[in-house]
Amino acid sequence: MEFRQIKETCLYVQDLARTTRFYADTLGLPIIGEMPDRHVFFRAGSSVLLCFNAQKTRESKDLPPHFGEGQLHLAFECEAEDYARWKDKLRQANLAIEHEQTWLHGRKSCYFRDPDHHLLEIIMPGIWG
């Protein structure tokens, strides 16, 4: 018995409107669910990115309370032929690329920050083989 994938991952954010503008408008992720002042959920390929107002989920009565703080990391995989276009899109949005890494077999990734300073990465396929 084994897991197929990580279906969803979660970030805790300070300002849901700002988060929505960043992930939907800047990165182009479709919104698949939202509750004002509590959460906004995005589709990223076959995965789901959950963005929560930490204080609201800390006080949750419907589901187990959960919350977090600090700068977290997640990576978005893109097609190798789209990698340079993604970097251009980040630059056009005035997002600083903090670091670019060349991995095994010439695969590349670049790191940048969201408005809550979470470390995001755009990565070519094949890095984890």
Side-chain angles (χ1 to χ4, degrees), residues 5-9 43 46-49:
Q5 66 178 331
I6 295 174
K7 185 63 177 173
E8 58 189 29
T9 193
R43 170 81 50 210
S46 64
S47 300
V48 175
L49 173 60

Side-chain angles (χ1 to χ4, degrees), residues 7-23:
K7 185 63 177 173
E8 58 189 29
T9 193
C10 174
L11 295 175
Y12 296 99
V13 301
Q14 299 297 312
D15 182 327
L16 288 172
R18 180 181 70 186
T19 296
T20 300
R21 285 190 305 274
F22 179 80
Y23 286 98

Side-chain angles (χ1 to χ4, degrees), residues 56-75:
K56 292 293 182 181
T57 55
R58 179 188 297 234
E59 300 164 358
S60 181
K61 303 285 189 253
D62 299 342
L63 296 170
H66 55 89
F67 56 93
E69 60 187 6
Q71 298 174 6
L72 303 175
H73 167 69
L74 63 89

Side-chain angles (χ1 to χ4, degrees), residues 82-101:
D82 292 336
Y83 178 75
R85 286 195 303 250
W86 273 108
K87 285 182 16 183
D88 288 342
K89 183 173 183 151
L90 296 177
R91 287 186 192 107
Q92 289 170 8
N94 293 318
L95 294 170
I97 294 175
E98 288 187 17
H99 179 77
E100 185 168 25
Q101 182 69 38

